[in-house]
Amino acid sequence: MRSPPETPWIGRRALPADVLIGLIADTHIPEARATLWEEVYGALDGVDVILHAGDMHDVVVLDWLERVAPVIAVRGNGDDGGSGRPVQPHDPRLAHNQVVTAGGLRIGMTHTFNDLTALGTSVAQQIARHFGEPVDVVVAGDTHVPEVTELGGVLLVNPGSPTLPRNLQTQFGTIGFLHVRAGRIADVWIELLH
């Protein structure tokens, strides 16, 4: 199954140079549970924008998150009919990949981004394919494992999953945050829900 043709390959959004960004991925609603934990909303309270790195499984998740802040999202494999799941409809907040600028900082968001150098695919090749231009930060999901690491000169942030951490069983998981000041990374961290 393929996603609706209206979904752009690359969406482009601009944010202020000073912004607190909430990061979330792999919510898997209703597969993981019927709704998001209330603790997700509490933890994200006060962010300026939320980036969802795919695998919502139901776009209603974006509506729920918009109770807290505006949402920018990408499609994951589970949003495009993967493993027999329904294809999620077109939504203007969604693209397959997003390039979000905050001042001079370029943030690329996609669902799957891994170190594939052993398979002959460099980080630079993945960035070119997903974003069409260089980025400073990549926000991705898919693994359900939180990670903040440098990969090929780019900061990779995976917020994990708030509902299915490490892709095991439904329980409190993680979300992430990216604090940008004057178009530069001021702080980045992962938070365990409780």
Side-chain angles (χ1 to χ4, degrees), residues 61-181:
V61 170
L62 304 181
D63 298 331
W64 298 342
L65 291 170
E66 280 203 331
R67 296 186 308 186
V68 177
V71 176
I72 302 168
V74 296
R75 287 183 174 277
N77 55 303
D79 303 320
D80 285 341
S83 300
R85 297 176 182 101
V87 175
Q88 291 305 300
H90 172 67
D91 187 291
R93 297 166 289 196
L94 278 173
H96 290 285
N97 305 281
Q98 298 273 6
V99 175
V100 180
T101 56
L105 187 72
R106 294 163 305 181
I107 304 163
M109 181 171 55
T110 193
H111 183 59
T112 303
F113 195 96
N114 298 304
D115 185 356
L116 301 175
T117 52
L119 300 176
T121 302
S122 71
V123 170
Q125 287 170 319
Q126 286 187 80
I127 287 173
R129 178 180 181 273
H130 288 295
F131 312 121
E133 64 185 78
V135 295
D136 306 299
V137 179
V138 172
V139 175
D142 194 38
T143 66
H144 297 226
V145 178
E147 180 177 18
V148 177
T149 191
E150 185 272 330
L151 186 62
V154 174
L155 180 66
L156 172 63
V157 184
N158 185 327
S161 170
T163 52
L164 285 173
R166 302 189 184 278
N167 213 6
L168 298 173
Q169 59 187 356
T170 301
Q171 58 185 304
F172 283 147
T174 56
I175 59 174
F177 296 88
L178 179 63
H179 192 188
V180 180
R181 263 195 225 125

Side-chain angles (χ1 to χ4, degrees), residues 31-46:
E31 208 172 77
R33 60 190 319 263
T35 61
L36 291 174
W37 306 108
E38 284 301 316
E39 288 78 359
V40 169
Y41 306 111
L44 291 171
D45 187 39

